[in-house]
Amino acid sequence: NVKERRMLLAAGLAAGVGAIFRAPLAGAIFAAEIFYSGLDIEYEVMIPSLVASTIAYTVFALFFGWQPLFTMPHIAFDNAWKLLPYMILAIVVALGSKFYVIVFRQSETFWRASSLPAWSRPCVGGLLTGVIGFFIPQVLGSGYGWAQQALNVGSPIGDNPGTLTAAALLLFFFGKVLATSCTVGSGGSGGLFGPALVSGALLGAACGSALAKLFPHMDIFPGSFAMVGMAGFLASAIRVPIAAIIMVSEITGNHELLLPTMWVCGIAYLTGYGKTLYRSQVRTRDCSPAHSGGEPSEGVI
């Protein structure tokens, strides 16, 4: 029946996210949060999602290893005054995520209204992505390598430690948003979640680099802002604050920045209220046709 199909869909989603991103707990919570853009949750799918995500992650790890998706230097939150620059980060990633959503939505609307044949739209979109990639090759591919570089900014660890400037990181961020919008918005194959994760890391590291110069006595590590920025970006753009908090801890193996991650996700979620990347999200269970038995009443965004 419909209810069982919905639970299976959520469990499959949890399994995929939990395995691919090596974040089993975050995958399960993500599957329950993603249905709604407001403060609501599909609690019926939690147990199936936990089981599915656990099994999928274990099978995946048996073949590809148990290490986190990213690595970063050990860094802990040890100064209450750092909540001030983290608050600035929250506002920056909220604005950045809104930019991402608006650009993607406008691109999607443009391609849908285009007079070009449906089969040719992804071709033209891919061509535009290629042009962007010609000038900014860092935006091509998954971008996870550059997210890793962002996590290492300001650290002696990494292939190119400290070589990414705030200006370069911002350039990569805007290029990634435009390339993703051209590819996916035109109907091409690709996702929005992974690029959102990378975009948050790039924007967070850029903000951290700037704040490190603005507050030189606070000992700000830009890599930690990249990690927390990923969470805030997801919380704002995809409206999954709890899953975002847990996910960045799991994918980096760093659980010492939980407090600033909670702080940034809460502020970014509230500041970034509005449209999300996924059109099918409704605000609450009361707006959901799956629970009301009809069409969404209001809040479809």
Side-chain angles (χ1 to χ4, degrees):
N1 58 37
V2 174
K3 182 178 179 180
E4 290 177 343
R5 287 201 304 268
R6 188 175 175 85
M7 292 177 68
L8 287 170
L9 177 133
L13 175 62
V17 172
I20 293 173
F21 293 96
R22 305 182 190 184
L25 179 56
I29 297 176
F30 177 85
E33 276 192 302
I34 192 62
F35 288 95
Y36 308 112
S37 63
L39 291 173
D40 214 334
I41 191 170
E42 192 76 353
Y43 50 80
E44 295 94 342
V45 308
M46 278 299 301
I47 299 302
S49 296
L50 285 168
V51 173
S53 184
T54 299
I55 295 173
Y57 169 73
T58 302
V59 173
F60 183 91
L62 285 173
F63 289 93
F64 297 100
W66 302 88
Q67 68 278 7
L69 184 64
F70 299 112
T71 60
M72 66 177 295
H74 176 77
I75 186 73
F77 180 78
D78 55 5
N79 184 348
W81 288 106
K82 286 185 180 179
L83 288 178
L84 174 60
Y86 275 117
M87 181 175 68
I88 297 173
L89 170 67
I91 296 171
V92 169
V93 294
L95 293 174
S97 68
K98 191 168 286 291
F99 171 77
Y100 183 26
V101 172
I102 290 174
V103 171
F104 172 71
R105 286 287 189 91
Q106 291 296 323
S107 173
E108 198 176 38
T109 300
F110 170 79
W111 289 108
R112 285 181 176 179
S114 173
S115 59
L116 292 172
W119 62 266
S120 68
R121 295 171 192 171
C123 299
V124 179
L127 177 62
L128 292 175
T129 301
V131 171
I132 297 171
F134 179 80
F135 293 100
I136 316 175
Q138 293 83 357
V139 306
L140 300 177
S142 67
Y144 292 161
W146 291 102
Q148 179 64 71
Q149 291 283 347
L151 290 167
N152 288 331
V153 171
S155 166
I157 300 175
D159 295 330
N160 296 299
T163 60
L164 291 178
T165 64
L169 289 161
L170 282 175
L171 177 64
F172 298 167
F173 165 74
F174 286 113
K176 189 66 176 176
V177 170
L178 292 175
T180 301
S181 298
C182 288
T183 302
V184 183
S186 64
S189 177
L192 296 172
F193 185 86
L197 203 66
V198 174
S199 297
L202 295 171
L203 189 58
C207 181
S209 297
L211 291 173
K213 296 180 179 179
L214 187 62
F215 302 102
H217 302 297
M218 279 196 174
D219 192 26
I220 291 175
F221 172 50
S224 66
F225 277 67
M227 173 186 161
V228 178
M230 284 193 287
F233 202 92
L234 293 178
S236 179
I238 306 181
R239 318 301 293 167
V240 287
I242 307 302
I245 293 169
I246 298 171
M247 176 168 285
V248 295
S249 295
E250 289 188 300
I251 65 176
T252 61
N254 186 320
H255 303 278
E256 302 295 325
L257 296 173
L258 182 61
L259 185 66
T261 304
M262 292 166 55
W263 172 250
V264 169
C265 283
I267 296 173
Y269 180 85
L270 294 173
T271 307
Y273 187 80
K275 292 183 177 180
T276 79
L277 280 176
Y278 301 123
R279 292 180 179 273
S280 57
Q281 279 182 316
V282 294
R283 287 182 183 168
T284 65
R285 292 168 65 90
D286 293 336
C287 305
S288 171
H291 296 286
S292 65
E295 295 298 320
S297 55
E298 61 177 345
V300 178
I301 55 178

